[in-house]
């Protein structure tokens, strides 16, 4: 069961395509034969391949950054599209589904060489592994170097890994709402999410394809994650202590019969939404990849690791982010070569401000980065 995005338009702008990039030797010791990458493109690549921009999606994001030949809205339309900062009339924009995902790239739900889904046998894939696979796709597309690579949250970690792993292939790099490595606290939040899935009675050690899906565990994982994506101010201002009408948290003859607060109903809704569109094993695989994020691994100190990069950097943070703190962005910027500022998105919403309020950075991106 590979989950894909439905499209009604013929292949073109903003439509999922597929490319085989061959076998992939993995950093942690595993191997994936004949890796497929799902990707979307917008615009036209120029003759020398110099106008290509890569936009990396976040944890459960898809490749559909902005609408194209269909009317389906994208998840970062304030950033990319005709006339947007990443102008699809000027740039050839590419977005690639991460290895391990379920939006077209090889992942746990993909069919292994023996004709069965990978399931529990799917190997650990790091962000460096998926970057190596993406480099092969760039070769196939005729892109010798990216004019820019941009991403937020896990997408920012992927962008940073591109700039350090392939410095000669990245001219500009925007790292938004993430630091140089996943911290112990971020790993702790991630472990709680993956454990919620693994403890679902339908998980079957990851070999649940063809049977009941671990929907309760995946929904719980999303609830845990979403709490970290939003701020306390957002929750208090939006929900407070209000009950979910017509339910009441204060009327119940037994504990299991009480009604919900509005915030509980909201988290339930977020969990149900993800279950309808995402594979539980992919959630684990990609979360583990994000846990692996450490630009310094095997490269010395932070300054030494970042000293490999030759790109012009753009670093940004959300002021209310309580998952990837602005201080991590400042630490990253201070260690980068040259004088790199940290641009601030002012948003009470929390971490998700990198998605909803990216328009605040439009002027800076146009005037100082994408020039």
């Amino acid at each position: 069961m590979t989950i894909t995005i439905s499209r009604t338009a013929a292949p073109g702008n903003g439509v999922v395509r597929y490319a085989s990039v061959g076998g992939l030797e993995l950093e942690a010791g595993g191997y994936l034969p004949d890796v497929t990458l799902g990707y979307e493109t917008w615009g036209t690549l120029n003759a020398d391949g110099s106008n290509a921009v890569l936009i990396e999606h976040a944890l459960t994001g898809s490749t559909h950054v902005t609408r194209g030949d269909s009317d389906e809205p994208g998840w970062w339309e304030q950033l990319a599209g005709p006339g947007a900062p990443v102008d699809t009339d000027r740039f050839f924009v590419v977005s690639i589904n991460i290895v391990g995902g379920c939006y077209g790239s090889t992942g746990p739900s993909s069919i292994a060489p023996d004709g069965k889904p990978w399931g529990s046998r799917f190997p650990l894939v790091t962000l460096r592994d998926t970057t190596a696979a993406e480099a092969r796709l760039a070769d196939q597309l005729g892109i010798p170097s990216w004019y820019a690579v941009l991403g937020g949250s896990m997408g920012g970690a992927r962008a940073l890994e591109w700039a350090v792993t392939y410095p000669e292939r990245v001219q500009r790099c925007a790292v938004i709402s993430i630091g140089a490595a996943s911290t112990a606290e971020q790993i702790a939040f991630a472990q709680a999410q993956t454990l919620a899935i693994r403890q679902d009675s339908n998980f079957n050690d990851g070999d649940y394809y063809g049977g009941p899906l671990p929907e309760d565990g995946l929904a719980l994982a999303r609830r845990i994650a979403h709490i970290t994506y939003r701020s306390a101010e957002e929750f208090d201002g939006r929900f407070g202590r209000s009950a979910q009408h017509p339910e009441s948290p204060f009327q119940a003859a037994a504990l299991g019969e009480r009604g919900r607060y509005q915030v509980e109903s909201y988290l339930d809704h977020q969990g149900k939404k993800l279950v309808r569109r995402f594979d539980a094993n992919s959630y684990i695989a990609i979360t583990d990849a994000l846990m692996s994020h450490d630009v310094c691994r095997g490269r010395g100190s932070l300054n030494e690791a970042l000293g490999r990069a030759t790109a012009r950097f753009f670093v940004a943070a959300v002021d209310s982010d309580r998952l990837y703190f602005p201080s991590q962005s400042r630490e990253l910027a201070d260690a980068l070569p040259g004088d790199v500022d940290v641009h601030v998105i002012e948003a009470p919403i929390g971490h998700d401000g990198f998605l909803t309020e990216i328009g605040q950075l439009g002027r800076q991106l146009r005037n100082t980065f994408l020039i």
Side-chain angles (χ1 to χ4, degrees), residues 22-52:
L24 194 62
E25 296 280 356
L26 302 173
E27 185 183 3
Y31 177 74
L32 283 171
D34 195 21
V35 171
T36 294
L37 293 181
Y39 69 102
E40 297 184 36
T41 68
W42 299 260
T44 302
L45 186 66
N46 60 17
D48 61 1
S50 62
N51 70 329

Side-chain angles (χ1 to χ4, degrees), residues 148-160:
V149 182
L150 307 92
S153 192
M154 185 184 75
R158 296 168 69 190
L160 181 62

